[in-house]
Amino acid sequence: MAENINQNQRESLGSRLGFLFLSAGCAIGLGNVWRFPYITGKYGGAAFVLVYLFFLVILGLPVMIAEFSVGRATQKGMGQAFEILEPAGTKWHYYSVFAIAGNFFLMMFYTVVAGWFLKYFFSMASGSFIDMTSGQIGEVFSQTLANPASLIFWMMVVIICGFGACALGLQRGVERITKIMMSALFVIMLGLAIYAAFLPGAWVGYKWYLKPDFSNLLKNGLWKSIYAAMGQAFFTLSLGIGAMEIFGSYIKKEYSLTGESLRVIGLDTFVALFSGLIIFPSCAAFGVEASSGPGLVFLSLPNVFVSMGAIPGRIFGSMFFLFMSFAALSTVIAVFENIIAFPMDKWGWPRIKAVAVAFVMVSILSLPCALGLNLWSNVKILGFSIDGFEDFIVSQNLLPLGSLVFLIFCTHKKGWGWKNFIAEADSGKGIKFPANKFVRFYVRFIAPLIILTVFVAGYIELFAK
């Protein structure tokens, strides 16, 4: 059995559904249900969504296939994958250190934000928001950020839940718990979308969200809108830091990786789009500004729930934040699995030792973000707050640069090489990766150039401020 292993025998997933839910769970998170709605609101609705979907296919798909291919070919995580596949004398494996660092950087702020959703779920379910005014709701969020003890408490709840699932094992813990959460997430999401559809005036939100108006893209600047869409495509799929590679290492060669990648991206996109079908009709129905930025979920939507009345608002609001919590926790568990797989593969650590060490490290490394929102709020790094700097390191540096590394490694002869990559990606039943000259040229040269553009644009925007 997969759970009764020694350190020389690698665990495997129990089912294809487990692989799809785990990979999708890693992709489905705050990028879909928090970041996507407010960025869509900021950059003009449906027109932005179309640009985002375009980059999701031309950038996200090839990078995801590359990560899955590296993982499945080696049956190892980032600790050893590049080292096994790289040509003799090359140093591709040096990137593994940056990849695992990216997972830690991501969790340093992700666990704190995920804690907000859990706190709001319990507050909404208990009826704390009933009869609050708009000003009082805003004060709740301000008090949440200003209270270091509360932030650290909910951060630790997230970390304990995440590593607790990993400690149970791959199949009995990570796979089974993710299946339950993802199934519940889809059910709750569908129920919320149906409820939102029957709100008075919901059609105004649908029209704004689903009818493309490319003039909206120009309001914030066409380049900024395109750049935001490219960045969101990387962020939502957690590409470039090996978070997807690890799940490729747990599956067999029964199905082609292009088909599996399309399914994962499809599930990820489905959740992102459905989040908009919940949020924007609700905002329209109760006159809440949909382009209110990162505070949309914590400032604007609680006003929507309060406006629904005591009982409907309490039920709808608590279910919404439970949905958000499941989305966040699915990513936390997936990334934690990648973190603990590193020492398990690299040094042969048993799972429990890897979990214990990673638990201590993540708990300590997450504290600066929690404290940076209050006690250390005056600390600035390159003009960023602590959480903003951590987000910048991941979103604008490690994700695009890591994606660039994966593509070059998989398609150039001084890396793993195109033929080896295609042979692995196309192994099994299902959709094959198009290997004609145009696609090969695109993946080898054009896609890396686009990714490099995303990286450079991030610094241009930073220093232009």
Side-chain angles (χ1 to χ4, degrees):
M1 295 293 292
E3 300 303 324
N4 300 318
I5 62 170
N6 58 48
Q7 59 189 45
N8 294 318
Q9 182 182 359
R10 186 171 178 78
E11 295 173 276
S12 61
L13 294 170
S15 66
R16 183 190 186 195
L17 182 63
F19 162 73
L20 291 175
F21 271 13
L22 272 171
S23 301
C26 183
I28 295 168
L30 300 184
N32 305 74
V33 298
W34 178 48
R35 199 171 189 263
F36 178 78
Y38 82 70
I39 284 185
T40 300
K42 179 178 180 180
Y43 290 101
F48 173 83
V49 172
L50 291 177
V51 177
Y52 159 74
L53 292 175
F54 173 72
F55 284 112
L56 201 63
V57 173
I58 69 166
L59 294 181
L61 180 60
V63 176
M64 179 173 285
I65 296 170
E67 285 207 34
F68 282 153
S69 297
V70 169
R72 193 170 70 172
T74 59
Q75 297 292 289
K76 297 291 183 182
M78 288 303 297
Q80 285 190 312
F82 277 20
E83 192 170 352
I84 292 171
L85 298 179
E86 67 185 9
T90 59
K91 306 297 182 183
W92 290 94
H93 62 279
Y94 285 1
Y95 177 68
S96 64
V97 176
F98 293 95
I100 203 64
N103 285 265
F104 276 106
F105 264 104
L106 177 61
M107 289 296 100
M108 284 161 64
F109 65 89
Y110 204 100
T111 53
V112 176
V113 178
W116 301 350
F117 291 108
L118 280 178
K119 179 183 185 297
Y120 265 62
F121 162 67
F122 284 101
S123 296
M124 191 65 68
S126 68
S128 298
F129 286 97
I130 294 176
D131 296 329
M132 279 191 177
T133 64
S134 178
Q136 290 171 329
I137 289 173
E139 187 62 26
V140 168
F141 187 58
S142 298
Q143 291 173 356
T144 297
L145 300 187
N147 188 336
S150 177
L151 286 182
I152 292 171
F153 171 78
W154 289 108
M155 176 196 82
M156 290 306 303
V157 170
V158 170
I159 294 173
I160 290 169
C161 289
F163 280 119
C166 293
L168 292 173
L170 183 63
Q171 285 188 27
R172 191 161 59 93
V174 175
E175 182 177 1
R176 185 176 66 175
I177 291 172
T178 301
K179 278 183 179 178
I180 294 170
M181 284 200 306
M182 293 298 291
S183 299
L185 184 150
F186 290 133
V187 172
I188 294 171
M189 180 178 61
L190 182 60
L192 292 174
I194 292 173
Y195 183 88
F198 288 93
L199 293 173
W203 67 272
V204 176
Y206 287 132
K207 181 181 178 181
W208 181 87
Y209 180 47
L210 299 176
K211 182 181 178 181
D213 181 0
F214 287 93
S215 65
N216 286 331
L217 289 176
L218 302 177
K219 291 180 180 178
N220 289 284
L222 181 60
W223 166 244
K224 283 189 176 181
S225 299
I226 292 174
Y227 166 61
M230 288 191 289
Q232 177 64 16
F234 286 121
F235 187 89
T236 188
L237 296 176
S238 302
L239 296 173
I241 56 175
M244 287 296 172
E245 185 273 347
I246 185 64
F247 299 115
S249 76
Y250 289 140
I251 59 171
K252 299 177 182 178
K253 299 181 185 287
E254 297 170 279
Y255 298 95
S256 72
L257 293 175
T258 300
E260 301 299 79
S261 298
L262 284 170
R263 290 179 181 88
V264 172
I265 290 177
L267 287 172
D268 176 81
T269 304
F270 173 78
V271 172
L273 295 178
F274 248 73
S275 298
L277 293 178
I278 296 167
I279 291 172
F280 296 121
S282 300
C283 288
F286 292 95
V288 171
E289 180 57 54
S291 57
S292 53
L296 174 65
V297 169
F298 298 105
L299 298 175
S300 300
L301 286 178
N303 282 297
V304 170
F305 304 141
V306 169
S307 301
M308 291 177 179
I311 295 177
R314 188 170 173 179
I315 294 173
F316 189 85
S318 59
M319 286 298 97
F320 176 81
F321 283 107
L322 182 62
F323 155 62
M324 301 287 274
S325 299
F326 280 166
L329 284 171
S330 67
T331 299
V332 168
I333 292 172
V335 176
F336 281 179
E337 177 64 21
N338 193 32
I339 288 174
I340 67 171
F342 187 90
M344 289 169 67
D345 287 339
K346 190 79 171 175
W347 304 305
W349 286 13
R351 176 173 284 269
I352 293 301
K353 178 181 178 180
V355 167
V357 172
F359 173 83
V360 173
M361 291 180 66
V362 172
S363 298
I364 294 172
L365 291 172
S366 298
L367 289 174
C369 176
L371 297 176
L373 295 166
N374 37 75
L375 298 179
W376 294 354
S377 60
N378 291 329
V379 176
K380 301 295 180 183
I381 307 172
L382 297 178
F384 292 103
S385 60
I386 293 175
D387 61 303
F389 176 73
E390 292 169 352
D391 185 18
F392 174 75
I393 290 294
V394 175
S395 301
Q396 305 301 336
N397 291 272
L398 293 176
L399 294 184
L401 288 181
S403 298
L404 185 66
V405 169
F406 270 100
L407 279 186
I408 295 175
F409 178 73
C410 287
T411 60
H412 289 262
K413 62 182 180 180
K414 291 187 178 180
W416 188 26
W418 176 261
K419 290 183 178 179
N420 293 324
F421 162 61
I422 290 297
E424 183 61 49
D426 287 350
S427 178
K429 299 180 292 184
I431 301 171
K432 308 301 182 185
F433 192 84
N436 57 60
K437 290 183 179 180
F438 171 77
V439 172
R440 181 178 179 180
F441 181 81
Y442 168 77
V443 175
R444 293 186 70 192
F445 300 108
I446 303 301
L449 183 61
I450 296 174
I451 292 171
L452 194 60
T453 301
V454 176
F455 173 71
V456 173
Y459 276 91
I460 292 176
E461 184 177 27
L462 172 64
F463 290 112
K465 290 181 180 179

